[in-house]
Structure formats: C-alpha cells, structure tokens
Amino acid sequence: MSQKRPNILLIMSDDHGQWAANCYGCHELHTPVMDHLARTGMRMDRCFTPTPVCSPARANLFTGKMSSQHGIHDFLAGIDGADANANKGDASGTPTLSTTTLDTELTLPELLQRAGYHCALSGKWHMGNGHQPQKGFNRWFSVRHPQGEHSGAYTYSDEGTDVRLEGFKTEILTDRALQYMDQWAQDCDDDQPLFLYVGYIGTHGPWRGHPERLVEMYRRSEFPSIPTEPLHPWTNVLYQNIGNRESLAQYYASVSHIDENIGRLVDRLEALGVRDETLVVYTSDHGLACGHHGVWGKGNCTTPKNMLEASIRVPMIVNHPGRIPAGQTCEAIVDHCDTFQTLLDWAGVPLPDDERVSNLPGRSYAPLLKGEPLAWEHVYFGEYGATRCIRTPEYKYVHRYGLDDRNELYDIVQDPGERNNLVDRPEFAQVQTALLERMEAFFTRYEVQERSGLRLGHVFDGIAADGSPRPERRTRPPGGA
C-alpha cells in the first residue's frame, strides 16, 4: 500500500512519568517494546508537558496552545454529557466538567482530516464531552468519565452509543485500535493515510487491578529507581501510596501491560505491510511521582500546585523506519505544543490561514528527528492556574502569583532533585529577575486574557485568586484525573 503522506500512530498514556521505562533508566521495569522503539528510533530526554494534569495537557497537544490560550486549566470532572458549570471550580475549589472544550479550536485531527487522513480514536479523550465523537475523527471509541477501574465490566462510547464490555481496559482499547487499522486497510483508498490516536489509562490510578502475572513480577522488586525522601511539606493527596510496595508493583505492572499492547499495535502495522510508512509516537499527557520529591501524583498532588520534574517530564519516543535514524537520543527541550507542530510538519500539512492557529508558541522539531541541524531555543514554559514556570538547561523558576512565599528557584545542573530552593537569595537575584522577565514576556505574547490562568488564581488549591485563604479550603482534597 503506497501513500503520499505517512501514517501516524500517536499513543498517549495517562500519568506515565518519563523515569518509568527501562530505556529511560528504570532498569527494573520490563518495557521491551518501548526500548526497541527507542533503540531503533529516537528517545527524547527533555520532553515536557505544559500543564501537569490530564485535560489541559491533552488540549496542549491537540491544539498546539498553552492552557491560557485554549482555556482548559484543570481536569474536567463530572459525568460525560451532564450539565455543568464553566471550568471555574465548584464551591469547594474542586474542578468541574467544563463548558470550555475544544469546540472553538482547530485541532490536530481536524487539520489532518482536511489533508486527506482517515482519523480514528480509541481510548481517553478527556477534553470535554468524551462520550461523543469529536471533530476530525472518522471513527470513535472512548473511555467515558469517570474512567473507573482498570478491569471488569465498563461502559464505553462506541461512536456515541453505550457499549458494555468486560476485561482489561488496556487490552480492550488495543483490540478496537487493531480493528480500526484493519478496517482502514480494507476500506480506504491506497493514498489515504491513517491517523490513529490511542489513549491508554492504565498508568492512572487506582493502582490496583492490573494483570496478576505482571504485578507478581514486581512484588519482590527493591524499586531502586524510587528515591527514599521525606514527605513533601505541601503534599495533599495520595500520600498513603508513598512507600507502598503493592502500589508500586501495580504501577510498574501497568507500564509493562501498556508496553505489551504497544507491541500488538506495531506488530499489526507490520502485518499490514505499512510499518515503514508509519510514524509511531509514544508519550504521556504528564508525569507522575511515585515517591520522588516526597509526593505521589502529578501537578495537583501538592497545595499549591507543583511543577516538579517528575510531574512535568514525559516520555517521548519517536520511530519511523528509514526516516528517523536508529539509536538517537535528543537533549532539546520540547513540549506538547512543539509536538503538535511536529506531527503536522511530518505529515506535510501546513497550518492554514486561520486565526485559531495564528499565534502558536510551539515549533516543529521534525528536522531533529531526521538528524538534521536545527537552531533551537532550549527553554520550557509551563503553567497550572496561577502557578507558572520557566525552565532552561541550567535553572528552573516557579512563580506563584499571589503566593510570593511559595516561589521556587533551582539550579537544575547542581541540584537536579530540586532540594535546595535558591529563591530570593541575593547572589541569584539577577538570575531570578531575568527568568521572571522572560517568562512574563512569553505569556504576554501568547495568553488570551479572558482565558488566562491568572484569572482563576489558585482557586483549585482552595485559595482565592488574590492569594487569601478560602474558608472551604481542604488540607487533603481529592486528586483529579
């Protein structure tokens, strides 16, 4: 089957920290497929999520925009299809299902579909109304919200129709993705490429219910990749999992289970004779700490929200036989907004003259994948409500608007574990000022005022937008998806 444009298989896990794969140095973890894809393609070592929680992180990748542009700032809780308020949080500061979805955005699948791609989704959407097929997709099979346990009976959305199936979600999502591959190969024209998005949720909590044969592999592990650190003073959720060997074994098993099923996807591409015509991308919406920094969770596992390395750093493994030279690693600082641009570039799909994609912060790193030189600005910008971050190869600065006593500055080279906060020290005043000015210039250029995270303040922390404590603030609020 010859095609004018490459197929794209985009696989995104949920809560998979970059550290949690053998090819990223966690050698007690069994991930042979990820390792193979990295060994025969490129492993990107400094890939980040712009917002370390599910819904906005996914929207970052599917729109190429920061959260203060598309307007989704926290996880969208509630039952899919239910009436809900705008994404401002309810009276207790808990995020709700938002009416701010991607309806007004021009998304990656829409752009690819316009260029002739057959687009399909199997898995987690979580950017609003996930029970219904979204723009740009020809086929749709989704995990609704709430996403529930990892095994057992569950009601999926099959083209908007409820279908109840029983089994491991990771395997059921793979089964449907394989079905979509087969249908595309059978029904579509030879020159119509495939964009298949597979959204796994196995690495997300609850950390139980994964295949026993895999969990048992890890129950005897010493987990040498997990540091032993004191409880972080800001921790607020899931702290009971820290040091829990069963929770760790379940998390490791979930990664291995996803790895097995990625193998099934890649094998099917080979069986269909299109492996060499397909770009395979594996990443995660955001990271997850499993005791790192003395927390368990992502950006919302502390009060106020955090931008810790374990929360913002994600795996990015990119493989395309014959087009991406084997055995490469890349130290460029990239994020999901860059990946949006890169996938379009790889597909040969230019951005249209449309105001919805007229002011994007990302850029394509496609030349780097091909081993070509590319001038690159090595800097990361992140946000979570009123918490904003800038990270260079040397320093990370986290600024919390309205909470001046909670700002952070780290020398990432000398202190990669982020243990020694240098903020407001006179000898680093020039560094801190320069980073803050650079960060504010970035957001001034790109944010949409009515969608800015600063308008929300720290309401998701139970703190008012002006920084004052709210009476209903909880010390241990529930974690979000």
Side-chain angles (χ1 to χ4, degrees):
M1 184 181 292
S2 61
Q3 295 171 357
K4 296 179 181 179
R5 300 185 191 273
N7 305 313
I8 299 173
L9 171 59
L10 173 61
I11 306 164
M12 175 178 276
S13 292
D14 193 349
D15 284 32
H16 186 191
Q18 187 189 91
W19 62 271
N22 190 293
C23 57
Y24 278 106
C26 186
H27 298 308
E28 68 268 29
L29 235 172
H30 187 65
T31 53
V33 179
M34 295 180 199
D35 301 346
H36 168 76
L37 292 173
R39 187 171 58 251
T40 58
M42 174 176 282
R43 186 193 74 213
M44 307 198 75
D45 288 348
R46 292 198 288 191
C47 184
F48 298 89
T49 182
T51 304
V53 73
C54 299
S55 301
R58 292 161 186 274
N60 298 150
L61 193 150
F62 273 81
T63 67
K65 294 182 177 182
M66 299 294 291
S67 298
S68 284
Q69 293 178 294
H70 57 64
I72 299 176
H73 287 278
D74 214 313
F75 68 93
L76 305 185
I79 305 299
D80 276 335
D83 292 334
N85 296 320
N87 191 16
K88 300 176 181 178
D90 62 17
S92 64
T94 303
T96 61
L97 179 64
S98 175
T99 55
T100 302
T101 64
L102 300 188
D103 289 346
T104 62
E105 300 294 338
L106 188 56
T107 64
L108 178 65
E110 285 183 89
L111 292 166
L112 293 174
Q113 189 183 62
R114 289 182 182 185
Y117 274 80
H118 178 86
C119 300
L121 174 146
S122 179
K124 182 172 182 175
W125 176 249
H126 203 193
M127 287 174 272
N129 301 318
H131 63 301
Q132 294 290 344
Q134 299 295 304
K135 297 180 299 180
F137 287 101
N138 301 87
R139 304 304 305 271
W140 182 271
F141 182 81
S142 65
V143 174
R144 303 174 58 116
H145 192 88
Q147 59 196 40
E149 300 287 334
H150 295 296
S151 60
Y154 181 82
T155 302
Y156 299 83
S157 175
D158 186 356
E159 310 289 352
T161 299
D162 289 350
V163 176
R164 195 158 182 84
L165 301 173
E166 187 160 357
F168 291 105
K169 286 191 174 74
T170 296
E171 296 173 6
I172 289 172
L173 298 179
T174 304
D175 291 342
R176 181 53 61 97
L178 295 174
Q179 179 182 329
Y180 285 161
M181 283 187 191
D182 292 341
Q183 291 173 340
W184 161 77
Q186 176 179 335
D187 300 337
C188 293
D189 296 334
D190 286 351
D191 61 351
Q192 184 175 26
L194 173 69
F195 171 70
L196 176 58
Y197 170 65
V198 182
Y200 289 124
I201 63 171
T203 34
H204 191 282
W207 293 281
R208 59 177 180 259
H210 295 290
E212 179 63 21
R213 61 183 174 82
L214 296 175
V215 179
E216 183 60 25
M217 287 171 48
Y218 297 113
R219 286 202 175 101
R220 299 182 186 87
S221 176
E222 295 299 322
F223 302 108
S225 296
I226 306 295
T228 301
E229 303 188 49
L231 197 67
H232 195 287
W234 299 350
T235 191
N236 61 18
V237 293
L238 305 177
Y239 57 93
Q240 68 272 17
N241 289 287
I242 297 176
N244 185 316
R245 296 178 60 84
E246 181 64 16
S247 296
L248 288 170
Q250 293 281 345
Y251 184 71
Y252 276 43
S254 71
V255 176
S256 290
H257 199 203
I258 288 172
D259 187 84
E260 288 181 351
N261 282 271
I262 295 172
R264 295 175 63 200
L265 297 173
V266 174
D267 286 349
R268 185 60 56 89
L269 291 173
E270 293 178 353
L272 293 173
V274 296
R275 178 65 187 93
D276 290 349
E277 301 166 10
T278 304
L279 172 71
V280 176
V281 178
Y282 177 74
T283 190
S284 179
D285 51 2
H286 49 76
L288 190 83
C290 291
H292 311 74
H293 315 288
V295 299
W296 184 292
K298 50 216 173 204
N300 59 2
C301 71
T302 59
T303 300
K305 302 294 189 286
N306 74 78
M307 305 295 288
L308 294 166
E309 290 289 290
S311 297
I312 65 175
R313 207 158 181 155
V314 296
M316 177 60 72
I317 301 169
V318 192
N319 188 292
H320 193 155
R323 294 193 60 183
I324 297 178
Q328 294 189 96
T329 58
C330 181
E331 291 293 325
I333 293 179
V334 302
D335 64 25
H336 289 328
C337 294
D338 299 316
T339 299
F340 170 87
Q341 299 269 16
T342 302
L343 294 179
L344 292 174
D345 189 6
W346 201 263
V349 177
L351 288 172
D353 183 12
D354 190 306
E355 63 179 7
R356 292 174 292 176
V357 289
S358 62
N359 188 33
L360 301 182
R363 59 178 298 202
S364 171
Y365 52 80
L368 297 176
L369 301 181
K370 294 181 282 190
E372 299 172 357
L374 178 67
W376 193 260
E377 186 178 21
H378 296 279
V379 61
Y380 159 82
F381 298 97
E383 61 175 323
Y384 195 161
T387 296
R388 289 180 171 177
C389 175
I390 178 174
R391 187 200 188 281
T392 68
E394 297 80 26
Y395 292 98
K396 175 194 281 188
Y397 178 63
V398 182
H399 191 85
R400 294 180 172 88
Y401 290 85
L403 298 177
D404 292 339
D405 62 333
R406 298 295 182 96
N407 297 332
E408 298 171 89
L409 174 66
Y410 297 104
D411 182 334
I412 293 296
V413 176
Q414 300 298 322
D415 180 26
E418 303 171 275
R419 293 177 175 84
N420 185 20
N421 187 2
L422 306 174
V423 75
D424 295 335
R425 291 192 184 181
E427 62 269 35
F428 291 97
Q430 187 174 355
V431 171
Q432 182 174 330
T433 298
L435 290 172
L436 176 60
E437 290 177 351
R438 188 176 181 185
M439 184 186 72
E440 291 190 325
F442 172 87
F443 281 99
T444 297
R445 175 178 177 182
Y446 291 109
E447 72 178 338
V448 178
Q449 286 300 314
E450 60 269 25
R451 295 182 173 183
S452 171
L454 299 189
R455 290 170 60 88
L456 297 173
H458 296 276
V459 294
F460 295 144
D461 290 314
I463 301 170
D466 63 2
S468 61
R470 301 173 68 194
E472 66 275 10
R473 180 181 178 184
R474 311 181 208 185
T475 57
R476 301 204 183 277

